[in-house]
Amino acid sequence: MENSLLLFSLLLLLLVPSSAQMPGFVSLDCGGEEFFSDELGLDWTPDELRYGEATSIEVLNETRKQYTSLRHFPADSRKYCYTMNVTSRTRYLLRATFLYEMRELIFLATSPTVSVCLSNATTGQPFISTLELRQFNGSVYFTAYEEHFYLSVSARINFGADSEAPVRYPDDPFDRIWSSDSIKKAITL
Ligand SMILES: *[C@@H]1O[C@H](CO)[C@@H](O)[C@H](O)[C@H]1NC(C)=O
Ligand SMILES: *[C@@H]1O[C@H](CO)[C@@H](O)[C@H](O)[C@H]1NC(C)=O
Ligand SMILES: *[C@@H]1O[C@H](CO)[C@@H](O)[C@H](O)[C@H]1NC(C)=O
Ligand SMILES: *[C@@H]1O[C@H](CO)[C@@H](O)[C@H](O)[C@H]1NC(C)=O
């Protein structure tokens, strides 16, 4: 009896390593070629988009694999979109990075998919490094206006931080990124 229980839990361990990932987390490595887990334990997936062009790049002091590739698109008048599955009526953090710059917002999914599109409105050839979705639970970030507006971030500061390293997943279960207050000083409002 004990042996078969042990065998059962061993089998379970063998069968479910990938579901250790937080539910509702999607991490796309744009222009990437392989699946991998980063040092935080987040699972990255190559974007496998049919359009645009994947490129490997070298950035000084950047060793994180997801930033060693990007995807760029023609500087034409078209929009190039990533469409991702979401759970309708659920709130998500959406974070896109463009090498040196991060943009993020929090929105309520109102349909089963969300599209993120790039175009060269002002800056020429559009490119993207990563695209991340982090699902919230319960009523976190509920607002009365969420059907029509998204939330943007002013600042997210970890006061009293003991190092310059940001706090994020797994310390923050939703992988929000809290900058150390030794780098990011409080804003005077
Ligand atoms: C890159 O890392 C080296 C060695 O740690 C350091 O001396 C240098 O200042 C860093 N450069 C940048 C741009 O951060
Ligand atoms: C796209 O970029 C090119 C070159 O920068 C520019 O000439 C063109 O007007 C842009 N297209 C749009 C739709 O903004
Ligand atoms: C998204 O959902 C569609 C329809 O349920 C499914 O066919 C597709 O495989 C899903 N894509 C991903 C990346 O999970
Ligand atoms: C929401 O997720 C957090 C972190 O995973 C968990 O601690 C909490 O119990 C969850 N709350 C609900 C209402 O599911």
Side-chain angles (χ1 to χ4, degrees):
M1 181 62 185
E2 215 165 273
N3 270 346
S4 62
L5 268 184
L6 186 63
L7 186 62
F8 184 58
S9 43
L10 273 179
L11 268 180
L12 269 184
L13 280 180
L14 290 176
L15 288 176
V16 295
S18 61
S19 70
Q21 186 66 225
M22 288 288 287
F25 273 31
V26 175
S27 307
L28 286 186
D29 178 12
C30 304
E33 281 171 356
E34 52 191 36
F35 293 81
F36 67 94
S37 297
D38 67 14
E39 70 283 0
L40 301 173
L42 298 170
D43 295 336
W44 290 87
T45 309
D47 63 347
E48 284 173 343
L49 212 60
R50 273 175 294 120
Y51 29 79
E53 206 175 305
T55 311
S56 303
I57 50 159
E58 261 182 52
V59 184
L60 188 62
N61 292 359
E62 183 55 81
T63 51
R64 289 169 296 175
K65 191 170 164 58
Q66 62 269 32
Y67 295 115
T68 59
S69 67
L70 54 78
R71 182 175 295 276
H72 60 91
F73 302 93
D76 55 21
S77 57
R78 297 173 64 190
K79 277 195 218 167
Y80 295 91
C81 299
Y82 286 90
T83 299
M84 296 181 286
N85 291 343
V86 288
T87 305
S88 195
R89 310 306 307 171
T90 303
R91 289 173 207 96
Y92 287 85
L93 182 155
L94 173 71
R95 182 164 50 224
T97 69
F98 311 92
L99 197 51
Y100 38 78
E101 206 184 334
M102 263 189 213
R103 289 289 165 84
E104 72 167 74
L105 56 89
I106 289 170
F107 71 100
L108 174 74
T110 52
S111 66
T113 60
V114 61
S115 292
V116 178
C117 304
L118 292 99
S119 73
N120 79 322
T122 53
T123 50
Q125 204 173 58
F127 68 91
I128 184 165
S129 304
T130 66
L131 200 47
E132 297 163 90
L133 271 181
R134 308 291 183 241
Q135 186 180 350
F136 291 110
N137 63 6
S139 56
V140 197
Y141 292 112
F142 166 81
T143 72
Y145 319 104
E146 60 185 358
E147 303 274 345
H148 307 289
F149 296 96
Y150 60 80
L151 294 173
S152 65
V153 182
S154 305
R156 208 180 268 127
I157 302 175
N158 176 22
F159 290 102
D162 50 17
S163 80
E164 292 193 345
V167 168
R168 57 180 297 184
Y169 184 82
D171 296 314
D172 183 317
F174 305 118
D175 194 25
R176 288 162 296 191
I177 299 176
W178 303 81
S179 310
S180 166
D181 67 348
S182 62
I183 295 180
K184 200 154 188 165
K185 299 298 177 197
I187 305 161
T188 315
L189 295 174

PDB file of all heavy atoms in Angstrom, residues 66-86:
ATOM      1  N   GLN A  66      15.522  35.758 -22.846  1.00  0.00           N
ATOM      2  CA  GLN A  66      14.386  36.353 -23.572  1.00  0.00           C
ATOM      3  C   GLN A  66      14.729  37.711 -24.178  1.00  0.00           C
ATOM      4  O   GLN A  66      14.024  38.195 -25.053  1.00  0.00           O
ATOM      5  CB  GLN A  66      13.147  36.454 -22.676  1.00  0.00           C
ATOM      6  CG  GLN A  66      13.265  37.334 -21.457  1.00  0.00           C
ATOM      7  CD  GLN A  66      13.740  36.590 -20.233  1.00  0.00           C
ATOM      8  OE1 GLN A  66      14.504  35.643 -20.317  1.00  0.00           O
ATOM      9  NE2 GLN A  66      13.290  37.026 -19.061  1.00  0.00           N
ATOM     10  N   TYR A  67      15.822  38.330 -23.716  1.00  0.00           N
ATOM     11  CA  TYR A  67      16.220  39.619 -24.282  1.00  0.00           C
ATOM     12  C   TYR A  67      17.343  39.490 -25.306  1.00  0.00           C
ATOM     13  O   TYR A  67      17.899  40.488 -25.759  1.00  0.00           O
ATOM     14  CB  TYR A  67      16.623  40.594 -23.164  1.00  0.00           C
ATOM     15  CG  TYR A  67      15.450  40.940 -22.280  1.00  0.00           C
ATOM     16  CD1 TYR A  67      15.421  40.561 -20.949  1.00  0.00           C
ATOM     17  CD2 TYR A  67      14.345  41.607 -22.816  1.00  0.00           C
ATOM     18  CE1 TYR A  67      14.314  40.843 -20.151  1.00  0.00           C
ATOM     19  CE2 TYR A  67      13.251  41.886 -22.028  1.00  0.00           C
ATOM     20  CZ  TYR A  67      13.237  41.503 -20.703  1.00  0.00           C
ATOM     21  OH  TYR A  67      12.146  41.782 -19.922  1.00  0.00           O
ATOM     22  N   THR A  68      17.683  38.251 -25.654  1.00  0.00           N
ATOM     23  CA  THR A  68      18.730  38.067 -26.667  1.00  0.00           C
ATOM     24  C   THR A  68      18.125  37.847 -28.050  1.00  0.00           C
ATOM     25  O   THR A  68      18.827  37.533 -29.000  1.00  0.00           O
ATOM     26  CB  THR A  68      19.659  36.885 -26.310  1.00  0.00           C
ATOM     27  OG1 THR A  68      18.857  35.696 -26.220  1.00  0.00           O
ATOM     28  CG2 THR A  68      20.357  37.130 -24.984  1.00  0.00           C
ATOM     29  N   SER A  69      16.801  37.969 -28.142  1.00  0.00           N
ATOM     30  CA  SER A  69      16.143  37.866 -29.446  1.00  0.00           C
ATOM     31  C   SER A  69      15.025  38.886 -29.486  1.00  0.00           C
ATOM     32  O   SER A  69      14.547  39.348 -28.447  1.00  0.00           O
ATOM     33  CB  SER A  69      15.564  36.465 -29.644  1.00  0.00           C
ATOM     34  OG  SER A  69      14.497  36.264 -28.738  1.00  0.00           O
ATOM     35  N   LEU A  70      14.633  39.256 -30.686  1.00  0.00           N
ATOM     36  CA  LEU A  70      13.456  40.111 -30.841  1.00  0.00           C
ATOM     37  C   LEU A  70      12.830  39.809 -32.193  1.00  0.00           C
ATOM     38  O   LEU A  70      13.403  39.088 -33.008  1.00  0.00           O
ATOM     39  CB  LEU A  70      13.814  41.599 -30.713  1.00  0.00           C
ATOM     40  CG  LEU A  70      14.900  42.219 -31.585  1.00  0.00           C
ATOM     41  CD1 LEU A  70      14.418  42.496 -32.994  1.00  0.00           C
ATOM     42  CD2 LEU A  70      15.360  43.537 -30.961  1.00  0.00           C
ATOM     43  N   ARG A  71      11.645  40.338 -32.408  1.00  0.00           N
ATOM     44  CA  ARG A  71      11.001  40.206 -33.721  1.00  0.00           C
ATOM     45  C   ARG A  71      10.725  41.610 -34.224  1.00  0.00           C
ATOM     46  O   ARG A  71      10.233  42.455 -33.490  1.00  0.00           O
ATOM     47  CB  ARG A  71       9.704  39.402 -33.615  1.00  0.00           C
ATOM     48  CG  ARG A  71       9.021  39.186 -34.975  1.00  0.00           C
ATOM     49  CD  ARG A  71       7.808  38.286 -34.854  1.00  0.00           C
ATOM     50  NE  ARG A  71       8.162  36.929 -34.455  1.00  0.00           N
ATOM     51  CZ  ARG A  71       8.558  35.975 -35.301  1.00  0.00           C
ATOM     52  NH1 ARG A  71       8.629  36.222 -36.595  1.00  0.00           N
ATOM     53  NH2 ARG A  71       8.864  34.777 -34.852  1.00  0.00           N
ATOM     54  N   HIS A  72      11.077  41.844 -35.481  1.00  0.00           N
ATOM     55  CA  HIS A  72      10.786  43.162 -36.048  1.00  0.00           C
ATOM     56  C   HIS A  72       9.886  43.036 -37.273  1.00  0.00           C
ATOM     57  O   HIS A  72       9.808  41.971 -37.901  1.00  0.00           O
ATOM     58  CB  HIS A  72      12.076  43.935 -36.347  1.00  0.00           C
ATOM     59  CG  HIS A  72      12.987  43.257 -37.315  1.00  0.00           C
ATOM     60  ND1 HIS A  72      12.923  43.472 -38.678  1.00  0.00           N
ATOM     61  CD2 HIS A  72      13.970  42.354 -37.115  1.00  0.00           C
ATOM     62  CE1 HIS A  72      13.836  42.735 -39.268  1.00  0.00           C
ATOM     63  NE2 HIS A  72      14.484  42.045 -38.352  1.00  0.00           N
ATOM     64  N   PHE A  73       9.207  44.107 -37.586  1.00  0.00           N
ATOM     65  CA  PHE A  73       8.172  44.101 -38.620  1.00  0.00           C
ATOM     66  C   PHE A  73       8.452  45.207 -39.637  1.00  0.00           C
ATOM     67  O   PHE A  73       9.118  46.192 -39.315  1.00  0.00           O
ATOM     68  CB  PHE A  73       6.794  44.319 -37.973  1.00  0.00           C
ATOM     69  CG  PHE A  73       6.456  43.281 -36.942  1.00  0.00           C
ATOM     70  CD1 PHE A  73       6.748  43.503 -35.595  1.00  0.00           C
ATOM     71  CD2 PHE A  73       5.893  42.070 -37.299  1.00  0.00           C
ATOM     72  CE1 PHE A  73       6.463  42.536 -34.639  1.00  0.00           C
ATOM     73  CE2 PHE A  73       5.609  41.100 -36.357  1.00  0.00           C
ATOM     74  CZ  PHE A  73       5.887  41.337 -35.009  1.00  0.00           C
ATOM     75  N   PRO A  74       7.928  45.045 -40.851  1.00  0.00           N
ATOM     76  CA  PRO A  74       8.166  46.061 -41.878  1.00  0.00           C
ATOM     77  C   PRO A  74       7.595  47.424 -41.473  1.00  0.00           C
ATOM     78  O   PRO A  74       6.601  47.492 -40.750  1.00  0.00           O
ATOM     79  CB  PRO A  74       7.410  45.523 -43.098  1.00  0.00           C
ATOM     80  CG  PRO A  74       7.167  44.079 -42.823  1.00  0.00           C
ATOM     81  CD  PRO A  74       7.114  43.924 -41.340  1.00  0.00           C
ATOM     82  N   ALA A  75       8.226  48.465 -41.934  1.00  0.00           N
ATOM     83  CA  ALA A  75       7.753  49.822 -41.631  1.00  0.00           C
ATOM     84  C   ALA A  75       6.697  50.221 -42.653  1.00  0.00           C
ATOM     85  O   ALA A  75       6.861  51.191 -43.390  1.00  0.00           O
ATOM     86  CB  ALA A  75       8.925  50.795 -41.629  1.00  0.00           C
ATOM     87  N   ASP A  76       5.627  49.466 -42.710  1.00  0.00           N
ATOM     88  CA  ASP A  76       4.563  49.805 -43.657  1.00  0.00           C
ATOM     89  C   ASP A  76       3.342  50.303 -42.879  1.00  0.00           C
ATOM     90  O   ASP A  76       3.448  50.617 -41.692  1.00  0.00           O
ATOM     91  CB  ASP A  76       4.231  48.597 -44.539  1.00  0.00           C
ATOM     92  CG  ASP A  76       3.886  47.363 -43.716  1.00  0.00           C
ATOM     93  OD1 ASP A  76       3.514  47.526 -42.537  1.00  0.00           O
ATOM     94  OD2 ASP A  76       4.001  46.247 -44.245  1.00  0.00           O
ATOM     95  N   SER A  77       2.211  50.357 -43.532  1.00  0.00           N
ATOM     96  CA  SER A  77       1.053  50.929 -42.847  1.00  0.00           C
ATOM     97  C   SER A  77       0.192  49.863 -42.177  1.00  0.00           C
ATOM     98  O   SER A  77      -0.895  50.155 -41.697  1.00  0.00           O
ATOM     99  CB  SER A  77       0.222  51.712 -43.853  1.00  0.00           C
ATOM    100  OG  SER A  77      -0.134  50.849 -44.906  1.00  0.00           O
ATOM    101  N   ARG A  78       0.690  48.603 -42.141  1.00  0.00           N
ATOM    102  CA  ARG A  78      -0.122  47.538 -41.551  1.00  0.00           C
ATOM    103  C   ARG A  78       0.102  47.443 -40.043  1.00  0.00           C
ATOM    104  O   ARG A  78       1.080  47.950 -39.504  1.00  0.00           O
ATOM    105  CB  ARG A  78       0.227  46.199 -42.198  1.00  0.00           C
ATOM    106  CG  ARG A  78      -0.084  46.170 -43.671  1.00  0.00           C
ATOM    107  CD  ARG A  78       0.427  44.894 -44.301  1.00  0.00           C
ATOM    108  NE  ARG A  78      -0.240  43.716 -43.759  1.00  0.00           N
ATOM    109  CZ  ARG A  78       0.166  42.466 -44.012  1.00  0.00           C
ATOM    110  NH1 ARG A  78       1.224  42.251 -44.757  1.00  0.00           N
ATOM    111  NH2 ARG A  78      -0.490  41.456 -43.501  1.00  0.00           N
ATOM    112  N   LYS A  79      -0.856  46.733 -39.400  1.00  0.00           N
ATOM    113  CA  LYS A  79      -0.709  46.429 -37.982  1.00  0.00           C
ATOM    114  C   LYS A  79      -0.308  44.965 -37.887  1.00  0.00           C
ATOM    115  O   LYS A  79      -0.853  44.124 -38.593  1.00  0.00           O
ATOM    116  CB  LYS A  79      -2.051  46.581 -37.264  1.00  0.00           C
ATOM    117  CG  LYS A  79      -2.404  47.974 -36.863  1.00  0.00           C
ATOM    118  CD  LYS A  79      -3.546  47.880 -35.853  1.00  0.00           C
ATOM    119  CE  LYS A  79      -4.545  48.970 -36.032  1.00  0.00           C
ATOM    120  NZ  LYS A  79      -5.776  48.710 -35.288  1.00  0.00           N
ATOM    121  N   TYR A  80       0.631  44.647 -37.011  1.00  0.00           N
ATOM    122  CA  TYR A  80       1.060  43.265 -36.803  1.00  0.00           C
ATOM    123  C   TYR A  80       0.654  42.856 -35.401  1.00  0.00           C
ATOM    124  O   TYR A  80       1.075  43.465 -34.425  1.00  0.00           O
ATOM    125  CB  TYR A  80       2.572  43.158 -37.012  1.00  0.00           C
ATOM    126  CG  TYR A  80       2.931  43.462 -38.449  1.00  0.00           C
ATOM    127  CD1 TYR A  80       3.251  44.759 -38.844  1.00  0.00           C
ATOM    128  CD2 TYR A  80       2.879  42.459 -39.418  1.00  0.00           C
ATOM    129  CE1 TYR A  80       3.530  45.044 -40.172  1.00  0.00           C
ATOM    130  CE2 TYR A  80       3.162  42.738 -40.746  1.00  0.00           C
ATOM    131  CZ  TYR A  80       3.489  44.028 -41.114  1.00  0.00           C
ATOM    132  OH  TYR A  80       3.757  44.316 -42.419  1.00  0.00           O
ATOM    133  N   CYS A  81      -0.202  41.807 -35.329  1.00  0.00           N
ATOM    134  CA  CYS A  81      -0.849  41.504 -34.051  1.00  0.00           C
ATOM    135  C   CYS A  81      -0.506  40.126 -33.491  1.00  0.00           C
ATOM    136  O   CYS A  81      -0.404  39.150 -34.229  1.00  0.00           O
ATOM    137  CB  CYS A  81      -2.365  41.590 -34.206  1.00  0.00           C
ATOM    138  SG  CYS A  81      -2.917  43.237 -34.700  1.00  0.00           S
ATOM    139  N   TYR A  82      -0.346  40.088 -32.183  1.00  0.00           N
ATOM    140  CA  TYR A  82      -0.290  38.844 -31.430  1.00  0.00           C
ATOM    141  C   TYR A  82      -1.668  38.653 -30.816  1.00  0.00           C
ATOM    142  O   TYR A  82      -2.194  39.574 -30.192  1.00  0.00           O
ATOM    143  CB  TYR A  82       0.713  38.960 -30.285  1.00  0.00           C
ATOM    144  CG  TYR A  82       2.158  38.916 -30.706  1.00  0.00           C
ATOM    145  CD1 TYR A  82       2.846  40.087 -31.023  1.00  0.00           C
ATOM    146  CD2 TYR A  82       2.833  37.702 -30.766  1.00  0.00           C
ATOM    147  CE1 TYR A  82       4.185  40.036 -31.396  1.00  0.00           C
ATOM    148  CE2 TYR A  82       4.168  37.653 -31.134  1.00  0.00           C
ATOM    149  CZ  TYR A  82       4.838  38.821 -31.452  1.00  0.00           C
ATOM    150  OH  TYR A  82       6.156  38.773 -31.815  1.00  0.00           O
ATOM    151  N   THR A  83      -2.245  37.462 -30.997  1.00  0.00           N
ATOM    152  CA  THR A  83      -3.528  37.182 -30.368  1.00  0.00           C
ATOM    153  C   THR A  83      -3.330  36.078 -29.340  1.00  0.00           C
ATOM    154  O   THR A  83      -2.765  35.031 -29.655  1.00  0.00           O
ATOM    155  CB  THR A  83      -4.561  36.761 -31.429  1.00  0.00           C
ATOM    156  OG1 THR A  83      -4.709  37.852 -32.333  1.00  0.00           O
ATOM    157  CG2 THR A  83      -5.910  36.468 -30.793  1.00  0.00           C
ATOM    158  N   MET A  84      -3.755  36.349 -28.116  1.00  0.00           N
ATOM    159  CA  MET A  84      -3.543  35.380 -27.038  1.00  0.00           C
ATOM    160  C   MET A  84      -4.861  35.010 -26.378  1.00  0.00           C
ATOM    161  O   MET A  84      -5.766  35.841 -26.262  1.00  0.00           O
ATOM    162  CB  MET A  84      -2.587  35.976 -26.000  1.00  0.00           C
ATOM    163  CG  MET A  84      -1.202  36.236 -26.589  1.00  0.00           C
ATOM    164  SD  MET A  84      -0.056  36.919 -25.382  1.00  0.00           S
ATOM    165  CE  MET A  84      -0.671  38.576 -25.268  1.00  0.00           C
ATOM    166  N   ASN A  85      -4.945  33.745 -25.946  1.00  0.00           N
ATOM    167  CA  ASN A  85      -6.154  33.284 -25.262  1.00  0.00           C
ATOM    168  C   ASN A  85      -6.192  33.824 -23.838  1.00  0.00           C
ATOM    169  O   ASN A  85      -5.183  33.799 -23.144  1.00  0.00           O
ATOM    170  CB  ASN A  85      -6.159  31.755 -25.184  1.00  0.00           C
ATOM    171  CG  ASN A  85      -6.352  31.111 -26.544  1.00  0.00           C
ATOM    172  OD1 ASN A  85      -6.800  31.776 -27.491  1.00  0.00           O
ATOM    173  ND2 ASN A  85      -6.035  29.836 -26.643  1.00  0.00           N
ATOM    174  N   VAL A  86      -7.348  34.282 -23.430  1.00  0.00           N
ATOM    175  CA  VAL A  86      -7.540  34.712 -22.047  1.00  0.00           C
ATOM    176  C   VAL A  86      -8.875  34.160 -21.549  1.00  0.00           C
ATOM    177  O   VAL A  86      -9.657  33.614 -22.339  1.00  0.00           O
ATOM    178  CB  VAL A  86      -7.554  36.265 -21.920  1.00  0.00           C
ATOM    179  CG1 VAL A  86      -6.159  36.842 -22.119  1.00  0.00           C
ATOM    180  CG2 VAL A  86      -8.536  36.903 -22.893  1.00  0.00           C
TER     181      VAL A  86
END
